[in-house]
């Protein structure tokens, strides 16, 4: 049943979803690109943000205020990973995995069960899939505010210590920067955004689930990488820092549009995560393989034989 | 003034790879001293510099900089007293950041980093003037990423970063070894000029005996984690490469083969 109108109808919701997940993508950008830290906390901190938001709303807190606590909860999760890594010396990926796994139990405890729902009928939620246009508008306001704040922050003396740490730790230390603190701050900031994104996603879909963050890091990476490739293609040399953040969010939107498209083409939804993983693998592999093809042993042998 | 008092450092203690890198080093540098450090591979030259910079804590002994005991101060806090240039041109700068941003990071060494703008307009003008004196054409390219610069340009930039905010001690760790001879000479001359003009106290590790003799007012030679030769003043001025080789043989009692020591005569 490939009807074009059904595809068009599915577009606005996927854009709204992309914008909300775009906030998470910007969080992933901070760790993956700026801090050079493969942070797997994300899967857990996204669900944590969602669980916290839903439970607080059910307790009677305003949905907007609940997002503040989602953000703080995410920040605490990132802080934990930072401490595991810098104070206890646990390698990047493992530190993130440990926090992520522990968050599964924490999220179960937060909700008391594996999922919890908040209905738009009973609560004045900030975003909801029932009001797509409003959700897109609210999402864009969040994105714009976050991009402005991050653009400012990473231009300050403080923000520059995080960029320097991500780029070259020996240099950072030689210039008097405490690289441990810089990593903890970067991870906290990143996961605060992921937590906020989780809170918004839970409100948007009307429920939180312990498994809602599964594979979030892959979506985040996909968004960052797709955004980077497109940003470079569109703006080239003029792609500045704000542009990169914007394109990380654009990457998330494109990701969801592509997902909607392949679902429309008839890909079973259970194969979605496989598809996402393949997309990320391809985008990561292309630059590497291109470099290899320019300078490969096989080519060297061929050239050598010709002469 | 730098006072190194009887410091020891052993790496991988208790393992098959145990290496006694520093074996009771003592050294006092007066203000304005420019001390060159030579010695064979594994003699402990770079290790001394790293000990002073606080890359790791020493096992025993004391390091005192201008009456401040820095022995227990970690690397990033000790950094405010030091300027450092490394052997690898990639180490001293942040490749993904702009030239002016790198300089701005260095200018704030030892200061609290606030939420003020990271590079101000006024300081950019100052960097412009400073880079212009270096005569590398970098002053007009200040918003270029450092990763696009050549090794020599990066080393010169690192040198400026290390000295623009006057350090109590400048540590040059074979900072010209990775450069081509022409660029190496330029960076070395620049280092010498800055040290003299700013009246800096400095230590420079080098593999090159001629450079070690031609620069600075003091020369130490290291072997097996100890200082085996310490030459200064008039004696250093009249020193030749052959003198140096002969002195080493006298002291260490072994043939000073260039191969083993990896020292170059020219």
């Amino acid at each position: 049943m490939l009807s074009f109108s059904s595809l068009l109808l599915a577009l606005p919701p996927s854009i709204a979803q992309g914008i909300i997940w775009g906030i998470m993508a910007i969080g992933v950008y901070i760790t993956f690109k700026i801090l050079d830290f493969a942070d797997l906390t994300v899967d857990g901190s996204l669900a944590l943000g969602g669980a916290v938001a839903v439970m607080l709303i059910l307790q009677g807190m305003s949905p907007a205020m609940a997002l503040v606590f989602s953000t703080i909860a995410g920040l605490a999760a990132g802080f934990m990973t930072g401490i595991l890594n810098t104070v206890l010396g646990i390698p990047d990926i493992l530190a993130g995995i440990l926090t992520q796994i522990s968050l599964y139990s924490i999220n179960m405890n937060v909700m008391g069960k594996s999922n919890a729902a908040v209905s738009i009928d009973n609560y004045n939620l900030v975003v909801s899939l029932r009001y797509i246009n409003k959700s897109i508008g609210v999402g864009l306001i969040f994105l714009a505010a976050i991009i402005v704040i991050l653009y400012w922050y990473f231009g300050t003396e403080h923000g520059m210590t995080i960029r320097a740490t991500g780029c070259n730790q020996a240099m950072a230390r030689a210039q008097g920067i405490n690289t441990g603190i810089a990593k903890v701050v970067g991870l906290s900031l990143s996961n605060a955004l992921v937590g906020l994104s989780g809170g918004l996603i839970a409100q948007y879909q009307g429920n939180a689930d312990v498994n809602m963050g599964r594979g979030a890091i892959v979506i985040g990476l996909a968004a960052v990488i797709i955004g980077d490739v497109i940003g470079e293609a569109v703006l080239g040399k003029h792609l500045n820092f704000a542009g990169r953040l914007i394109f990380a969010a654009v990457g998330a939107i494109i990701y969801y549009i592509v997902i909607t498209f392949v679902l429309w083409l008839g890909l079973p939804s259970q194969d979605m995560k496989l598809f996402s993983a393949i997309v990320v693998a391809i985008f990561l592999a292309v630059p590497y393989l291109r470099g290899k093809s320019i300078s490969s042993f096989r080519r060297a042998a061929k050239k050598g034989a010709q002469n | 003034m730098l006072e190194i008092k009887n410091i020891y450092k052993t790496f991988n203690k208790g393992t098959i790879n145990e290496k006694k890198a520093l074996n009771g080093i003592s050294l006092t540098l007066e203000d304005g001293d420019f001390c060159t450090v030579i010695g064979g591979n594994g003699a402990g030259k770079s290790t001394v510099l790293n000990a002073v910079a606080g890359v790791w804590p020493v096992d025993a002994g004391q390091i005192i900089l201008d009456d401040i005991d820095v022995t227990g101060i970690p690397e990033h806090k000790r950094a405010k007293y030091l300027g450092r240039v490394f052997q690898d041109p990639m180490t001293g700068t942040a490749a993904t950041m702009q030239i002016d941003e790198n300089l701005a990071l260095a200018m704030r060494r030892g200061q609290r980093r606030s939420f003020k703008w990271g590079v101000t307009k006024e300081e950019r003008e100052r960097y412009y003037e400073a880079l212009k004196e270096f005569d590398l054409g970098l002053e007009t390219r200040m918003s270029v990423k450092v990763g696009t610069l050549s090794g020599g340009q990066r080393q010169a930039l690192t040198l400026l970063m290390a000295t623009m905010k006057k350090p109590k001690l400048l540590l040059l760790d074979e900072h010209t070894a990775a450069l081509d001879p022409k660029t190496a000479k330029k960076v070395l001359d620049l280092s010498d000029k800055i040290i003299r003009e700013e009246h800096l106290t400095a230590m420079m590790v080098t593999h090159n005996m001629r450079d070690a003799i031609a620069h600075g007012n003091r020369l130490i030679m290291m072997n097996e984690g100890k200082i085996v030769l310490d030459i200064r003043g008039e004696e250093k001025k009249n020193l030749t490469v052959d003198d140096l080789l002969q002195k080493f043989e006298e002291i260490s009692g072994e043939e000073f083969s260039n191969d083993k020591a990896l020292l170059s005569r020219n």
Side-chain angles (χ1 to χ4, degrees):
Chain A
M1 273 259 296
L2 293 185
S3 100
F4 192 66
S5 62
S6 73
L7 177 65
L8 281 183
L9 272 176
L11 267 187
S14 57
I15 290 171
Q17 234 179 339
I19 289 170
I20 296 170
W21 283 85
I23 294 169
M24 181 212 57
I26 291 176
V28 171
Y29 184 90
I30 292 173
T31 46
F32 186 63
K33 285 285 188 177
I34 298 178
L35 206 52
D36 193 23
F37 190 111
D39 178 29
L40 299 186
T41 314
V42 173
D43 289 20
S45 56
L46 188 100
L48 176 67
V52 165
V54 168
M55 294 318 286
L56 288 174
I57 292 168
L58 291 176
Q59 302 279 324
M61 188 182 276
S62 86
M65 197 60 203
L67 289 176
V68 174
F69 285 89
S70 294
T71 311
I72 294 169
L75 187 138
F79 183 81
M80 220 31 250
T81 303
I83 295 296
L84 288 174
N85 178 242
T86 59
V87 179
L88 304 180
I90 298 168
D92 298 18
I93 292 179
L94 198 51
I97 290 176
L98 289 176
T99 309
Q100 184 201 112
I101 289 298
S102 67
L103 282 173
Y104 185 85
S105 298
I106 290 168
N107 292 336
M108 283 292 247
N109 280 304
V110 167
M111 293 192 286
K113 48 188 193 284
S114 62
N115 57 63
V118 279
S119 167
I120 182 76
D121 295 325
N122 307 325
Y123 301 96
N124 186 19
L125 301 177
V126 176
V127 288
S128 167
L129 45 76
R130 197 175 302 163
Y131 305 110
I132 296 295
N133 289 343
K134 184 198 164 198
S135 298
I136 290 178
V138 170
L140 285 176
I141 291 168
F142 268 102
L143 265 186
I146 287 163
I147 288 167
V148 168
I149 290 169
L150 290 181
Y151 183 75
W152 163 78
Y153 173 67
F154 283 108
T156 65
E157 293 174 350
H158 204 273
M160 270 168 62
T161 65
I162 295 178
R163 291 164 60 203
T165 300
C167 177
N168 182 345
Q169 292 196 48
M171 176 269 189
R173 279 194 290 269
Q175 302 309 335
I177 294 166
N178 186 334
T179 49
I181 290 182
K183 280 195 203 172
V184 173
V185 171
L187 284 163
S188 303
L189 183 60
S190 162
N191 282 288
L193 291 176
V194 176
L196 170 64
S197 176
L200 283 167
I201 291 164
Q203 295 194 27
Y204 179 78
Q205 62 195 23
N207 68 74
D209 189 294
V210 278
N211 289 318
M212 69 187 275
R214 183 165 289 175
I217 182 67
V218 177
I219 298 175
L221 289 177
V224 167
I225 296 161
I226 292 169
D228 225 38
V229 170
I230 293 174
E232 297 270 359
V234 174
L235 292 174
K237 268 190 178 173
H238 302 290
L239 186 62
N240 64 5
F241 181 65
R244 287 182 190 277
L245 294 179
I246 292 169
F247 272 100
V250 169
I253 296 168
I254 290 172
Y255 174 84
Y256 272 100
I257 291 175
V258 171
I259 293 294
T260 308
F261 183 68
V262 294
L263 285 175
W264 176 74
L265 285 178
L267 187 80
S269 59
Q270 69 204 33
D271 293 339
M272 229 44 266
K273 294 224 191 297
L274 174 64
F275 176 75
S276 308
I278 291 170
V279 168
V280 172
I282 290 172
F283 271 94
L284 284 175
V286 164
Y288 172 77
L289 292 177
R290 199 185 286 152
K292 270 259 200 180
S293 76
I294 292 166
S295 139
S296 77
F297 286 109
R298 195 183 295 170
R299 181 177 287 202
K302 240 189 224 166
K303 266 196 181 163
Q306 275 168 5
N307 294 333
Chain B
M1 192 169 87
L2 168 72
E3 290 169 89
I4 299 175
K5 292 183 182 169
N6 207 22
I7 57 170
Y8 285 82
K9 182 71 186 180
T10 304
F11 292 112
N12 307 315
K13 218 174 228 163
T15 73
I16 195 161
N17 293 318
E18 181 169 302
K19 163 90 183 150
K20 284 191 174 122
L22 298 178
N23 261 322
I25 299 254
S26 293
L27 177 73
T28 302
L29 293 185
E30 300 298 330
D31 283 337
D33 268 357
F34 177 6
C35 176
T36 57
V37 185
I38 57 169
N41 262 3
K45 310 182 299 289
S46 294
T47 314
V48 170
L49 259 58
N50 286 338
V52 173
V55 177
W56 24 254
V58 292
D59 296 338
Q62 240 184 341
I63 300 164
I64 297 163
L65 248 179
D66 282 5
D67 297 327
I68 304 162
D69 184 351
V70 298
T71 318
I73 300 179
E75 184 181 13
H76 69 272
K77 285 193 181 149
R78 219 183 275 193
K80 77 168 159 190
Y81 308 121
L82 304 170
R84 290 163 73 191
V85 186
F86 309 87
Q87 178 173 3
D88 182 352
M90 304 300 145
T91 310
T93 47
T96 58
M97 297 175 78
Q98 300 173 6
I99 293 176
D100 54 358
E101 288 174 331
N102 271 273
L103 288 163
L105 280 169
M107 269 312 274
R108 286 160 180 77
R109 196 166 53 224
Q111 284 175 20
R112 235 190 121 74
R113 318 271 171 158
S114 73
F115 292 104
K116 280 186 288 199
W117 211 239
V119 199
T120 63
K121 212 174 167 186
E122 299 82 64
E123 63 182 293
R124 223 177 248 126
E125 277 161 28
R126 189 176 158 196
Y127 302 154
Y128 181 90
E129 295 303 326
L131 285 168
K132 206 168 164 185
E133 278 203 18
F134 268 41
D135 193 27
L136 292 162
L138 293 179
E139 67 274 10
T140 53
R141 302 167 58 199
M142 278 203 291
S143 52
V144 157
K145 297 258 157 60
V146 169
T148 63
L149 305 184
S150 69
Q153 287 173 323
R154 282 180 80 156
Q155 265 333 45
L157 180 62
T158 311
L159 184 64
L160 181 57
M161 287 164 63
T163 55
M164 200 168 41
K165 184 167 184 177
K166 192 176 172 181
K168 287 190 195 298
L169 178 69
L170 176 64
L171 299 173
L172 307 170
D173 189 0
E174 293 190 52
H175 68 311
T176 60
L179 308 176
D180 66 85
K182 209 175 134 196
T183 316
K185 185 178 183 314
K186 197 168 176 181
V187 171
L188 193 55
D189 289 345
L190 208 51
S191 311
D192 196 284
K193 181 169 164 253
I194 291 172
I195 290 166
R196 266 188 289 110
E197 285 177 358
E198 303 284 326
H199 196 68
L200 297 175
T201 313
M203 285 180 87
M204 179 175 85
V205 171
T206 177
H207 265 134
N208 187 309
M209 283 202 263
R210 270 215 338 216
D211 288 344
I213 290 168
H215 298 276
N217 62 342
R218 190 153 168 199
L219 181 151
I220 58 172
M221 182 183 270
M222 292 187 63
N223 190 40
E224 292 176 351
K226 288 185 182 141
I227 295 174
V228 291
L229 194 63
D230 186 344
I231 301 170
R232 60 185 103 185
E234 280 305 307
E235 197 190 349
K236 173 162 187 302
K237 275 182 198 158
N238 303 322
L239 200 65
T240 66
V241 171
D242 289 322
D243 291 343
L244 214 48
L245 287 172
Q246 199 193 342
K247 284 211 151 96
F248 186 85
E249 277 171 40
E250 282 170 20
I251 290 160
S252 66
E254 54 182 298
E255 188 78 13
F256 198 80
S257 89
N258 274 353
D259 230 22
K260 184 195 165 209
L262 266 175
L263 285 171
S264 60
R265 299 173 66 116
N266 38 43

